[in-house]
Structure formats: structure tokens, C-alpha cells
Amino acid sequence: MATNNSPSLQATCSINGVLASSITYVTSVQFSEAIKIITGNISACNSQMLFCNLWENLHFQIPTKKLADCPTCGKLTFPYLSIDKQRKSRTICGKNAIQLYLENINSQFLEQQAKRASGNIKRKSPFHIEMEFYVDGIAHSLILFHDGRVTIDGTIDEQRARHILAETIGY
Amino acid sequence: MMIYLDNAATSYPKPDVFYTGATQVLSHPYGNPNRGGHAGSVNSEQLVSRVKQKLATLINAESHEHIATCYNTSDALNLVINGLCKRFKPEHIVTSIFEHNSVLRPLYHLKNTHKFSLHILKPNRNNWKLDVESTLKGLGNQSNKPILIILSHVANSVGTVQDIANFGKICRRYNAYLVIDGAQSIGHIALNVLKSSVDVLVFPGHKGLLGPTGLGFIYLNERVKQSNILCQRQGGDGVDSQSVLPSLAFPQSFEVGTSNIHGLALLELSLDWLNDNSYQPALRALSQYLYQRLASISQLTIYSPMLDESNVGILLCNLGTLDSNVVASILDSEYGISVRAGIHCAPLAHQWLGTIESNQGALRISLGPFNTKNEIDKLYMALAELASYS
């Protein structure tokens, strides 16, 4: 089901900006927890999930517990870190372009993207959309397929490609 | 069910016997050939000789001792090009725009260490033939160093077939050595190396020969074999082991380290199938059908010429102004059709065709012995549907 919370519809940090103090706040808490673990004081660690919204002055904690059958914290199999989950990027033959795979996209992926960036569309079919964007002053073509494949033209560097995706379609 | 139309990259499927016989050949006790006198080692030595003998018969080589195994065609080309350049120090090397990067890259790399002029032939736009004779005549080779001619039998991009026998005759007249890249031809079309005066032929096991990946072959004719070309790779070959100096005796000198014995055992299954099944006329008929069917899509630009009946089932095309990678991706994800997009490691051919400038690359459809008219009809329908978005 497409929802308003779909990753493809969310603005990213690099689009909306980040309140610098929120980074300091989070890293300060995480660092303190890490020191407790390293020094063997695990009982002093916070076992709850901490929520804070510095802008609206909201702070609360959510109790959490390990689920025995959770593949990550219960069974420690870490499936989302496994290579099977990380479909590899590949360069495109004969072009300065790279193809990435977007995970967890829904069946309305193309439609949502077409709506979101209608002014950037160069060509579309029921199976793909070709879009053009300027990122950091450089023109990049993006070709999106409804199975989550996306080709980014103008780079073969995966990190740069992911930056372009974040800046343009919010992935 | 996947429709596989990328046989120029690697053949699929293989003959049934390749799969049904695999367990048996892989469980056979094969030892390390030329590395001992025990039964397993002898099994492997016999296997290597048998496979080479079958290959020698296929290309009409003098004997199996004129054939060496290596890892793949690129490996073979690297060894041959480097070995010939070091041995003969040619002042002129002639190649063509049709060549794969496995020819072009070793040559451009060699220019850093060897002094030679590189002549890159372009085909005649009407008949797609390369004019080797005019080039050799123009060079007027005055030195006693031979000219090196390195050309593909079949262009991996567009599928055009060159007349190797004619090249062979010309090369003999002009003190030139003829090296043929048979990556796309061996198995699909006959090549008689002796009659065609081919000096060196390289070819893979996994394309037209329908074998496994990981095998390439080098044929040297008698005059090259006797010239003691030094192989770039050095190591144990099971011969003259008391010496620390490199071996010069072909084929052992090119076969350092343990050969791909299991690959050769699988290839033998395919070679026996090829010997009993003449699929080539059907493949040519299917190529004609593919060409005629796709030619009826007005938005499709077909680059490959259908000039004669020797076509090996490679067709290069583009759909309107669509990026070939887009078309290939959609054919794969929506229609289950596997084809190859891009420039096929043949940058000069694509430059000549204008498909690099257009930033499209091109779509290569390549058939194998097990493709059917029905599969081509499905490809036609998919491309015809996509044509409206081109």
C-alpha cells in the first residue's frame, strides 16, 4: 500500500536541513551509553528508546524489550546487514552511469515519482521514467524503473549517485 | 520462462548432455595432468589430448600439439599479442574498428613499451569488408620484421563476417602474420586454419562451442609454433622441471599451472554434441527470420547488415532515441527477455556507428542453437509495444 510515509515521499535531511544541536544531542547520549558499555557498567544503560524533538520541546521514552524471535536483536542474524539484502550497484556499459536498486518500493513508485517531479520528466512509459535534474550545478539524468532499478547518469561513483538520489527523489 | 538472446556473451542453454553428463564427468577421478604417473593424472592427460584433438579436427589444425589451453579469449589474446610483439618486434600492427577491447587494450598498452605504428582499418560502408590488401600495399614493408594483422572473424558488435581465407592469402604475400580472434565464430561457422593460412587463432569454450566458461584456446601454426614465442606467464608445466628458466616448447609453455580439467571434461560433452548435430543452417535461417521480423518495426534502426548467409545470429539495433540500457532493462523486467545493451567492449565500432555520440549504445540480440521462432515473435511483440514510447 502506498502511504504518505513512503520513503520516496519524505523530504531528506539534505533537502530540509538539520538543526545542528540535534546532532550534538543525539551523539552526546549515544557516546555516554557507549562509555557505560565499554567500562562494564551495562546496568547503567538506558533500556528505553529515547524520543526528542528539540524544536517543539518534546521529550519522552518508550519502553522496549527484546523479542526472542526478532531476527536482529533476538536471533542476532542481522538479515538487513546480509549481502542478500544489499543488491549491488553496477556501472552501465559504455556510459558514465551507474545503476542502483531501491529497496522497499511500492507498486505506485513510478506514479508517485512522476507526480512529485513532473517538471523534470523527459520521457515516460508504463515501465520507466526519464528525468533530468541539476545537483550541485551539474545536470544528471535519472531513469527510474518500477521494480526499483534506477540509473543515474553522470557518475559511476556509488556515493555520489546516492547523494544525487537523496537530493532529487528523496531516497 | 526466460528468453535468452545474449549468446554472443555466453551460450545458454547448453546441449542436454552437458547437464545430464555433468555429474558423471565431474565425479571421474581426474588428477593433475603431466604431474605424475598415477591413473588420475593419466586420465587428465588423456582428456586434454582428446579435447585438443577434437578442436584440431574442428579447425583443421596440423595436430592437437598446435593448441594450448588458457583461461578465456581475452587471456589468449593478451598472451599472443604480447608474445608476438616481443618475439618479432613488428614496426606495423594492423587491426580494425570491429575489435573487442581484449585486442585494443593490450595493443594500446603495448605502445608504452614497444615502438610500432598502429593502423586501424574501417570497413567499406557498402559491403562491411575490410581492405587489408590496400593497407599492406600502402605500408610497403621494407623491413624484415613481419607486420602483425589482428582481426576478428565475426564482429561481436554487429555480427559481420570477414573473409579470413582472403586475408590469409594477402598476409602471405606481404610478410604479415595473421592473428584471428574467433570469439564469435568458432562453432558457429567453419574455419579451416590451414587452408586459410591463419597463423594464430584464439577462441573460447563457452560461446559457439557451447561449453563452460573459464576456457580459452590458442592455435599456433607451424611457423609460429617453431618461433619459440615466450609466454608472459611463467611457472610449472610438468616439463623440464629441473630448470628454473622459462620453457619455450609450445603448448606446454603457454599452459603453466594446472589446467581447467573439469571445464575440459564438460567441454568434451558439448564438442561431441556439436559433432553429431549440425545446428548451423537452422541458426542462419533463424537469423534471417529475426532480421526480417524486426525490420518491420519502423522505429527500429538495425545496424547489422544481412548481406549473406554466413550471419551467426547477431543483430545490433536501437529503438528510436531510447537508451539501449533502458530498452534492455524493460525487456528483462517486463518481458523476461535477456539481451545485451551498451557498447559491447567495442568502442571503436560504436564510434563508427555513431552510437557513442548519441549516448544510446545499442541493443545486441544474439541467437544460439536452441532459440525458436516463437521466442523471436515474443521479442518482436515486446519491441513493437515499446516502439510507441521511443
Side-chain angles (χ1 to χ4, degrees):
Chain A
M1 283 289 288
T3 69
N4 288 337
N5 294 325
S6 296
S8 57
L9 295 181
Q10 301 300 305
T12 63
C13 303
S14 58
I15 291 170
N16 275 2
V18 180
L19 192 61
S21 53
S22 66
I23 298 168
T24 319
Y25 181 95
V26 172
T27 51
S28 174
V29 171
Q30 286 181 327
F31 182 80
S32 306
E33 295 300 296
I35 291 294
K36 292 175 202 172
I37 294 168
I38 290 166
T39 57
N41 294 294
I42 292 175
S43 60
C45 288
N46 185 356
S47 62
Q48 302 201 342
M49 186 189 288
L50 181 64
F51 177 93
C52 68
N53 182 332
L54 295 180
W55 197 255
E56 294 174 8
N57 298 309
L58 283 175
H59 295 78
F60 56 86
Q61 297 198 105
I62 306 166
T64 56
K65 64 171 186 180
K66 265 189 189 179
L67 285 175
D69 60 348
C70 169
T72 298
C73 63
K75 296 180 176 170
L76 304 178
T77 54
F78 307 106
Y80 286 91
L81 297 179
S82 79
I83 199 75
D84 293 346
K85 286 280 175 191
Q86 300 166 12
R87 286 202 277 176
K88 281 184 71 178
S89 63
R90 53 183 286 266
T91 52
I92 300 295
C93 176
K95 300 191 89 170
N96 181 27
I98 189 168
Q99 188 176 75
L100 302 177
Y101 294 90
L102 306 181
E103 301 293 347
N104 304 320
I105 55 141
N106 58 45
S107 57
Q108 272 85 47
F109 170 65
L110 276 188
E111 214 173 281
Q112 289 165 351
Q113 293 300 336
K115 230 181 257 175
R116 182 188 160 117
S118 56
N120 300 77
I121 294 175
K122 277 167 60 188
R123 174 162 34 197
K124 61 186 267 203
S125 78
F127 317 110
H128 86 299
I129 309 175
E130 292 176 41
M131 305 162 120
E132 198 160 69
F133 291 95
Y134 275 84
V135 177
D136 306 329
I138 301 165
H140 290 281
S141 292
L142 261 66
I143 304 169
L144 276 53
F145 300 91
H146 73 62
D147 62 355
R149 279 186 261 196
V150 53
T151 301
I152 301 109
D153 193 61
T155 184
I156 53 168
D157 178 74
E158 186 171 345
Q159 279 204 328
R160 167 78 186 156
R162 292 203 180 278
H163 169 68
I164 293 165
L165 282 186
E167 292 284 323
T168 53
I169 64 169
Y171 255 92
Chain B
M1 188 76 171
M2 179 203 282
I3 297 176
Y4 186 81
L5 301 173
D6 194 16
N7 286 276
T10 192
S11 58
Y12 178 83
K14 316 291 183 188
D16 277 347
V17 67
F18 180 91
Y19 306 110
T20 55
T23 307
Q24 196 189 341
V25 299
L26 294 179
S27 57
H28 195 70
Y30 284 121
N32 202 328
N34 304 316
R35 305 295 199 278
H38 59 72
S41 182
V42 172
N43 281 343
S44 294
E45 282 169 40
Q46 288 172 342
L47 169 74
V48 174
S49 295
R50 269 199 320 273
V51 171
K52 285 186 181 178
Q53 185 55 58
K54 287 171 185 178
L55 294 172
T57 304
L58 184 75
I59 61 173
N60 194 36
E62 293 89 332
S63 79
H64 70 282
E65 291 178 346
H66 287 253
I67 293 175
T69 63
C70 56
Y71 305 134
N72 50 53
T73 316
S74 295
D75 181 44
L77 282 163
N78 270 276
L79 297 181
V80 160
I81 291 170
N82 278 283
L84 289 171
C85 279
K86 279 182 188 154
R87 172 66 182 82
F88 296 115
K89 298 182 175 50
E91 290 173 1
H92 300 283
I93 298 181
V94 178
T95 188
S96 87
I97 60 148
F98 286 134
E99 305 319 309
H100 191 275
N101 268 339
S102 54
V103 168
L104 298 174
R105 287 183 173 178
L107 285 178
Y108 275 88
H109 182 63
L110 266 172
K111 279 177 81 72
N112 296 324
T113 51
H114 288 62
K115 201 177 166 197
F116 60 85
S117 303
L118 185 59
H119 308 271
I120 298 176
L121 305 183
K122 289 180 181 170
N124 179 312
R125 287 261 179 198
N126 295 320
N127 62 12
W128 295 73
K129 297 296 179 196
L130 297 166
D131 187 354
V132 173
E133 183 152 31
S134 298
T135 306
L136 292 182
K137 202 184 275 181
L139 290 175
N141 191 20
Q142 300 298 318
S143 93
N144 57 356
K145 292 176 184 170
I147 297 171
L148 216 56
I149 314 282
I150 309 171
L151 297 169
S152 51
H153 190 181
V154 172
N156 80 311
S157 51
V158 280
T160 44
V161 184
Q162 296 298 327
D163 183 352
I164 301 304
N166 183 40
F167 292 167
K169 271 186 226 153
I170 296 165
C171 286
R172 289 296 158 105
R173 284 208 296 271
Y174 290 90
N175 186 26
Y177 277 72
L178 180 61
V179 178
I180 295 300
D181 172 0
Q184 299 297 341
S185 63
I186 301 304
H188 290 323
I189 43 181
L191 178 60
N192 184 325
V193 287
L194 281 179
K195 265 194 184 168
S196 304
S197 303
V198 171
D199 290 293
V200 178
L201 171 70
V202 297
F203 55 99
H206 68 108
K207 295 187 179 180
L209 296 182
L210 309 175
T213 52
L215 278 171
F217 298 95
I218 300 170
Y219 157 78
L220 301 187
N221 70 1
E222 190 60 26
R223 70 169 175 166
V224 182
K225 185 172 182 271
Q226 293 304 328
S227 64
N228 292 338
I229 292 171
L230 186 64
C231 181
Q232 243 182 330
R233 279 200 296 264
Q234 302 300 325
D237 55 11
V239 178
D240 205 14
S241 296
Q242 72 279 14
S243 171
V244 294
L245 297 176
S247 169
L248 289 172
F250 186 88
Q252 296 93 328
S253 57
F254 276 65
E255 295 176 335
V256 294
T258 305
S259 299
N260 180 358
I261 294 300
H262 287 120
L264 287 165
L266 290 169
L267 177 63
E268 188 177 31
L269 297 172
S270 298
L271 288 174
D272 289 344
W273 183 89
L274 284 169
N275 196 41
D276 298 337
N277 294 273
S278 177
Y279 72 83
Q280 293 83 355
L283 179 64
R284 279 191 264 290
L286 201 63
S287 303
Q288 303 263 358
Y289 183 72
L290 170 72
Y291 191 93
Q292 284 154 10
R293 201 82 169 97
L294 297 196
S296 66
I297 301 173
S298 60
Q299 295 93 330
L300 201 80
T301 303
I302 299 180
Y303 303 101
S304 303
M306 183 53 76
L307 295 176
D308 54 39
E309 292 184 350
S310 59
N311 190 289
V312 297
I314 294 177
L315 185 143
L316 193 75
C317 62
N318 262 324
L319 196 54
T321 56
L322 275 170
D323 184 330
S324 63
N325 283 291
V326 170
V327 181
S329 286
I330 295 173
L331 286 176
D332 178 34
S333 62
E334 308 303 324
Y335 301 93
I337 299 172
S338 302
V339 295
R340 169 88 189 269
I343 61 170
H344 317 100
C345 297
L348 302 185
H350 278 271
Q351 252 172 36
W352 187 72
L353 292 167
T355 47
I356 288 184
E357 200 181 358
S358 70
N359 206 26
Q360 272 184 294
L363 204 65
R364 184 183 68 186
I365 297 148
S366 53
L367 306 178
F370 304 107
N371 286 124
T372 63
K373 278 189 171 182
N374 185 37
E375 288 178 323
I376 289 172
D377 289 342
K378 285 181 178 164
L379 172 72
Y380 164 80
M381 285 188 280
L383 288 172
E385 191 178 344
L386 289 176
S388 58
Y389 305 107
S390 65

